[in-house]
Amino acid sequence: MAIPIEWIPKEPTFAAYIKVFSRFPFLKTIGNSLYISIAYTLITLISASMAAFAFAKIKFPKAELLLKCFLATMMIPTQVTMIPLFVVMNRLGWINSFGSVILPSIFRPFAMFLLVQQMRTIPDDFLNAARIDGANTFQVYRHVALPLCVPTLATLSITTFMESWNDYLWPLLMLTDKTKMTLPIALSTLNGQYATEYNVLMAGSLISMIPIILVYIFAQRSFKSGMIAGGIKG
Amino acid sequence: MVASPFLLPSLIGFAVFSFLPLLISILISLTDWNGLDELTAKGFLHDHFIGLDNYKSILQSDEFWKVLKNTGLYIVLYLPLMLAVSIAIAHLLSRPRKGVGVFRVIYYIPVLTSWVAASLIWKSVLSPKYGAINSVLEIFGIQGPGWLLDERWAMPAIVLVSVWKDMGFFGLILLSGMVGINKSYYEAAEIDGAGGWTKFWRITLPLLTPAIFYVLIVSLINSFQLFPQIMIMTDGGPNGATQVMVERIYKYGFRYYKMGYASALSWILFFIIMVCTMIQMRGQKKWVNFDT
């Protein structure tokens, strides 16, 4: 860092960016982050929407009780389940595997809650009409219920992707190998190693921000078109 | 129609990632297990079981009360500041003006950024000698404090950064509350001769209380769960001034290998959060306005 501070650098240089990539497998890290976040988001959307469909549109015994149990887990801080999960993952030898970070997405009560609310607004007549035309339950879910939830699914995909991309505590415990790390973990490692080289840290931070801002801008657009696609006249 | 195939993934997830870990966590919290020793059902209860000793020693330790005091200081500074700033942002962005769309994105960028990247940037900005803030203060002849290196200023600095990071998110929630307020209230007030300030205090704020209530519930829960910003910016220092619950849980569990103690801490954290949320829920009738 220049002393005293140079508000506008006299000689701008990309050296710090080159350093980031040469000292750390940063390209690999970006790939890991993308892979994990995309898989995490997809599994969340699929699993949560399936459960939401069952809760909102299929009658089965003890449905209310089960939904309440699912939603009650939202109150429990993740730190409570973190230690036992670590112990289990450690026993299974899943440390440093992407599965350990991706699989918890299979149960996301908040996403489920939002989708239950959305699916409850779909008139049963829509589903019955499809059924009379010969659609089975899965086809009703896939071709009638899901398209009508596109706005909620779009919002959820942005927030879930963001959460997974920026998640820190759980990946910090699970991904300790340099080649397996996600961006936040890699950055915090850089912080330990090059604590005084702010230019390198800043370059890494900026790189980590670019994809998420792109996703946000892109998703905002598809969010708008999603509103139009979902808005069937009832 | 059969529900079970649709419920199966969530049910498995609930059992594996939520229900079973909860049970195991209660058991671990009753032991002095270090997380490394072989764990068998028999040896577990025989060699490691210590009853409620972890909970007792936590409640009797000075460190725990210091951690609560640190968190209390954070909450007392953070909640009013965050609320004031995000209401101001929502208010400014609620009016149709030129360039308002650009500002909505700009205020949201800190929310999109990961806590790690944000903390790294702020650590340099807050650096005592050469950081941007103290360099600006120096221009005005003010000797800036040591921020993250000063015991008295470390927590206020964390508050400052947290407000910067969260204001866009809470501002957006309050903004959607503000946009939902019926315009006819304002028109009626204008006919009666109310100015902008009166309209804000007498109409906007009372009708915004449901959104403010939601913001307070969420932000208080978050306040007990500070972690990345602490780990990157201060690591709990200086002299334990920024030690907080989750940072302690992490360190006891994964640095000092006291898994039992860490699990007990996590249950105490859960208990504190639950009590605080319940108190807020009870109190809402007194000030939240639900008739819009």
Side-chain angles (χ1 to χ4, degrees):
Chain A
M1 203 170 2
I3 304 162
I5 203 162
E6 259 178 52
W7 291 103
I8 298 158
K10 282 191 194 102
E11 294 165 31
T13 155
F14 283 105
Y17 290 86
I18 295 161
K19 257 189 197 169
V20 166
F21 283 95
S22 65
R23 284 189 190 168
F24 206 88
F26 223 70
L27 219 52
K28 184 98 178 55
T29 310
I30 295 171
N32 294 346
S33 266
L34 272 177
Y35 176 74
I36 288 173
S37 303
I38 290 172
Y40 191 96
T41 309
L42 279 179
I43 293 176
T44 300
L45 294 184
I46 293 169
S47 172
S49 66
M50 281 168 70
F53 180 71
F55 281 120
K57 290 295 163 199
I58 305 176
K59 286 187 180 67
F60 60 96
K62 300 265 188 285
E64 271 308 300
L65 182 73
L66 188 63
L67 184 61
K68 269 184 193 152
C69 279
F70 279 8
L71 296 184
T73 59
M74 281 200 282
M75 290 194 305
I76 296 158
T78 50
Q79 291 82 23
V80 173
T81 50
M82 163 182 99
I83 288 168
L85 271 180
F86 175 84
V87 172
V88 171
M89 295 286 183
N90 198 11
R91 270 301 130 83
L92 293 173
W94 279 22
I95 306 275
N96 279 320
S97 77
F98 291 151
S100 64
V101 185
I102 294 170
L103 279 181
S105 60
I106 201 169
F107 180 64
R108 303 255 305 151
F110 182 67
M112 194 191 301
F113 171 70
L114 277 187
L115 286 164
V116 168
Q117 301 289 81
Q118 175 73 31
M119 290 212 185
R120 278 187 176 151
T121 65
I122 300 173
D124 284 335
D125 294 347
F126 279 33
L127 312 185
N128 291 333
R131 217 164 286 133
I132 289 163
D133 288 346
N136 62 30
T137 312
F138 181 76
Q139 284 167 327
V140 173
Y141 156 77
R142 173 68 190 81
H143 296 292
V144 182
L146 270 195
L148 289 172
C149 290
V150 166
T152 312
L153 290 172
T155 319
L156 266 178
S157 60
I158 307 174
T159 52
T160 312
F161 185 90
M162 250 178 64
E163 252 173 68
S164 172
W165 183 269
N166 291 336
D167 195 15
Y168 179 61
L169 181 50
W170 185 240
L172 178 70
L173 296 177
M174 287 295 121
L175 309 172
T176 51
D177 191 287
K178 249 189 180 187
T179 59
K180 299 282 184 188
M181 285 178 182
T182 59
L183 271 168
I185 312 306
L187 277 179
S188 70
T189 312
L190 283 179
N191 179 40
Q193 286 171 338
Y194 308 109
T196 50
E197 289 183 73
Y198 278 116
N199 54 349
V200 177
L201 295 178
M202 293 305 109
S205 301
L206 191 68
I207 293 166
S208 83
M209 284 162 65
I210 292 167
I212 198 84
I213 292 172
L214 286 180
V215 165
Y216 182 67
I217 293 167
F218 171 76
Q220 256 196 332
R221 268 191 214 147
S222 72
F223 180 66
K224 274 177 199 153
S225 57
M227 301 271 264
I228 297 157
I232 295 168
K233 280 172 194 156
Chain B
M1 286 197 286
V2 192
S4 48
F6 288 93
L7 282 173
L8 198 62
S10 293
L11 263 177
I12 293 173
F14 170 70
V16 175
F17 295 114
S18 198
F19 188 67
L20 289 176
L22 281 179
L23 291 183
I24 300 173
S25 175
I26 294 174
L27 284 179
I28 294 179
S29 79
L30 302 174
T31 67
D32 62 358
W33 187 52
N34 59 13
L36 301 171
D37 289 354
E38 189 68 31
L39 200 65
T40 57
K42 192 175 161 243
F44 180 67
L45 288 174
H46 191 260
D47 301 337
H48 297 291
F49 186 78
I50 54 168
L52 293 172
D53 283 3
N54 281 329
Y55 293 91
K56 271 185 217 155
S57 63
I58 289 169
L59 294 175
Q60 283 164 0
S61 72
D62 294 339
E63 186 192 75
F64 173 70
W65 298 103
K66 188 175 180 188
V67 164
L68 277 194
K69 222 175 89 190
N70 291 341
T71 311
L73 176 65
Y74 175 88
I75 290 171
V76 167
L77 294 174
Y78 171 82
L79 283 189
L81 193 62
M82 180 276 294
L83 208 56
V85 172
S86 35
I87 289 176
I89 287 175
H91 190 61
L92 288 175
L93 296 183
S94 68
R95 286 177 240 174
R97 309 190 167 149
K98 231 177 136 188
V100 96
V102 178
F103 278 101
R104 281 184 190 181
V105 174
I106 289 177
Y107 281 116
Y108 212 65
I109 285 179
V111 183
L112 298 172
T113 313
S114 83
W115 252 122
V116 177
S119 306
L120 286 175
I121 292 167
W122 275 96
K123 210 174 138 192
S124 100
V125 171
L126 290 168
S127 144
K129 258 194 182 160
Y130 314 117
I133 287 193
N134 280 2
S135 297
V136 170
L137 288 177
E138 212 177 287
I139 296 172
F140 298 102
I142 302 167
Q143 170 76 45
W147 297 113
L148 299 169
L149 302 177
D150 184 324
E151 227 174 290
R152 278 168 307 160
W153 284 95
M155 200 46 118
I158 299 272
V159 170
L160 202 75
V161 180
S162 303
V163 169
W164 169 85
K165 179 90 169 67
D166 297 340
M167 63 186 186
F169 179 70
F170 291 124
L172 201 74
I173 292 172
L174 295 172
L175 176 65
S176 58
M178 262 182 210
V179 171
I181 295 173
N182 196 331
K183 294 271 179 303
S184 57
Y185 290 120
Y186 294 106
E187 283 155 16
E190 271 159 37
I191 291 167
D192 290 345
W197 199 239
T198 320
K199 278 191 285 181
F200 176 77
W201 281 104
R202 295 293 171 83
I203 300 171
T204 310
L205 217 51
L207 291 178
L208 204 59
T209 44
I212 293 176
F213 176 67
Y214 174 79
V215 167
L216 282 180
I217 291 260
V218 174
S219 57
L220 192 68
I221 291 174
N222 289 348
S223 300
F224 284 106
Q225 295 180 297
L226 306 177
F227 183 67
Q229 62 266 59
I230 301 279
M231 288 300 284
I232 304 287
M233 288 198 284
T234 62
D235 202 20
N239 196 18
T242 55
Q243 286 179 345
V244 290
M245 285 296 273
V246 179
E247 178 259 356
R248 293 284 88 196
I249 294 171
Y250 173 76
K251 286 197 181 144
Y252 275 111
F254 302 101
R255 293 236 180 120
Y256 315 147
Y257 298 106
K258 290 167 110 183
M259 291 276 185
Y261 193 85
S263 293
L265 260 179
S266 75
W267 280 102
I268 291 177
L269 172 68
F270 171 50
F271 181 75
I272 295 172
I273 290 177
M274 210 178 64
V275 169
C276 283
T277 308
M278 270 160 60
I279 292 172
Q280 279 183 306
M281 290 283 188
R282 283 273 166 81
Q284 68 168 315
K285 280 192 196 110
K286 286 188 186 134
W287 64 277
V288 180
N289 191 341
F290 281 113
D291 24 81
T292 41

